[in-house]
Amino acid sequence: MITQEGIREIAQSILNLVDYAEVEMQEGTKQLQLYRTSINVDTLKIYVMLDDTVVGDIKNIKLISKSGKILLGNPQEIIKNATKGLLVVFSIKVVEVAE
């Protein structure tokens, strides 16, 4: 059985893998820093803010690891304008599966 401390350790190690977010747009890709991260019991959340500098047809939002690999992807079809921001949340739950 995974202890609460073990779950928190695993969640923190996953957060430590993430380097930045990448927004794939029709015009090309844009690299963004993470806006915020949090761990609450067994769920970790990674927030990416698409501010007024991200404008156009968004196709995918990805989290990139420190080694340059894609950790998570969030395929979207969003047309984003400069007047409003958009907060995207990646949420991961750490659970033990009994077999």
Side-chain angles (χ1 to χ4, degrees):
M1 181 170 128
I2 301 175
T3 64
Q4 286 296 81
E5 293 84 14
I7 288 174
R8 185 160 183 81
E9 242 347 92
I10 292 166
Q12 187 61 55
S13 66
I14 293 170
L15 278 181
N16 291 341
L17 288 172
V18 182
D19 192 22
Y20 62 91
E22 187 175 87
V23 180
E24 187 180 309
M25 302 169 56
Q26 191 170 8
E27 301 79 24
T29 59
K30 184 171 181 80
Q31 184 175 318
L32 298 173
Q33 295 303 312
L34 304 180
Y35 180 68
R36 191 174 74 144
T37 62
S38 69
I39 299 173
N40 186 7
V41 186
D42 61 355
T43 303
L44 64 110
K45 292 185 179 184
I46 301 166
Y47 300 84
V48 179
M49 176 60 79
L50 307 181
D51 60 15
D52 59 353
T53 65
V54 180
V55 177
D57 295 335
I58 297 171
K59 303 295 179 198
N60 198 359
I61 303 162
K62 302 179 263 187
L63 295 180
I64 308 299
S65 72
K66 290 186 166 104
S67 63
K69 294 183 174 54
I70 300 169
L71 294 175
L72 294 167
N74 186 352
Q76 296 281 337
E77 289 291 328
I78 301 170
I79 299 173
K80 167 106 174 33
N81 60 33
T83 59
K84 293 186 179 181
L86 177 65
L87 185 64
V88 177
V89 181
F90 290 87
S91 184
I92 301 169
K93 185 171 185 152
V94 179
V95 295
E96 180 177 9
V97 178
E99 292 187 28

